[in-house]
Structure formats: C-alpha cells, structure tokens
Amino acid sequence: MLLQLLHLAQAGLAAYGGQQSYVAITNLRKYEDASKKLAKVSSEAEHQRQQTYATQASGVAALLLSFLASMLLARRGSVYGVFLRYLIPIAVAAALTLAREHIRGFGAGKTPGLTGALPKMGEYEEAERRTHSLISALDLLTLSWIATWVVALVIGY
C-alpha cells in the first residue's frame, strides 16, 4: 500500500512537471516567428532554437515515462516479475537524470529574469522560469524513484 501511494505521488509530480513544461513550450512558441527570422541570418540562433525545443522534448519524454511507469506500478506493481519491479525505478531515475542534465547543460549560465529588461519579452521570461520549475520537478522525481526503489527493497511489493 505504501508503494502504491508513493507511485501515485510520483504520477502527480510528473503531471505537475508536465504542466510546467506545457506552459514553457506555449510561451516559447509565441516567439516562433521572430526566432525563425533570426535563424535565417544567424546559424547560432538556429542552433539555439533547435536546442531549446530538443531540451523541452527530452523533459516531456522523461516526464511521460515517469508518469506511465508510476501508474503501472501503482496499479499492478506486484504482477510484474521481480526483475522488472526493481529495474523500472532505476531505469526511470536514469532517464530523468539524463533529461535533467540535458536541460541544465543547455541552460548553463542562464539566469531566470535576465531578459526581463527587454521589451515585450515577459512570456519568454516566464518560459525560462517554468523551465527551472521543470528542472526542480525532475530533481524531485529522480529522488522519489530512488526512494521507492529503496522502500521496495526493504518491504517488497
């Protein structure tokens, strides 16, 4: 029962991260036309544009994996073989860590609020804040998967 509650909490946290990512992507898409125009004259701008979408996609993929795995284990965790029950938390924690590091690696050196002085860039700034919230959600999810793995080892499914 304890593991089911932990997995349901993980699903809720993944949904929260998904909401943060959705808002960030929606706000970034508002600058799609401007970024395309800039990308036509700057290869660095095109690279930044592609990397922005790639990092958001990796975050969404990791959140989706976490959500689906937590729901499967909460619903029918004891049905799966011992190997899968103990492998899934490790695999999901690894995927979350990779996504988190991918997003952090791209955003290294960026500070939320830095673009606040630029006119008409409020939604872009909000997208950056939401991306930092997404990173926090990925951090918590990674820790929660490690914790559920430890609890599963101690009390079993």
Side-chain angles (χ1 to χ4, degrees), residues 19-141:
Q19 188 264 344
Q20 297 301 307
S21 185
Y22 174 78
V23 172
I25 291 169
T26 302
N27 285 341
L28 288 171
R29 295 211 57 175
K30 292 177 182 176
Y31 298 96
E32 180 76 15
D33 292 336
S35 68
K36 280 183 181 178
K37 287 178 187 175
L38 187 58
K40 288 180 182 178
V41 296
S42 169
S43 61
E44 179 59 27
E46 177 61 22
H47 175 73
Q48 293 286 325
R49 185 175 163 276
Q50 289 174 350
Q51 280 297 106
T52 298
Y53 288 122
T55 57
Q56 291 295 330
S58 67
V60 168
L63 289 168
L64 186 59
L65 175 66
S66 180
F67 180 80
L68 292 175
S70 62
M71 290 304 289
L72 283 173
L73 289 173
R75 174 106 165 81
R76 300 175 50 103
S78 60
V79 172
Y80 304 111
V82 172
F83 182 71
L84 275 180
R85 286 191 310 240
Y86 296 110
L87 179 65
I88 288 173
I90 294 168
V92 174
L96 290 165
T97 300
L98 289 172
R100 184 189 72 219
E101 291 306 313
H102 184 221
I103 295 168
R104 275 194 185 145
F106 175 67
K110 290 186 177 181
T111 305
L114 187 61
T115 59
L118 297 175
K120 299 181 183 175
M121 293 295 283
E123 281 129 351
Y124 186 83
E125 183 179 272
E126 178 63 19
E128 281 192 348
R129 274 196 299 274
R130 296 295 179 131
T131 300
H132 284 274
S133 294
L134 169 62
I135 291 170
S136 296
L138 291 171
D139 286 339
L140 287 172
L141 275 168

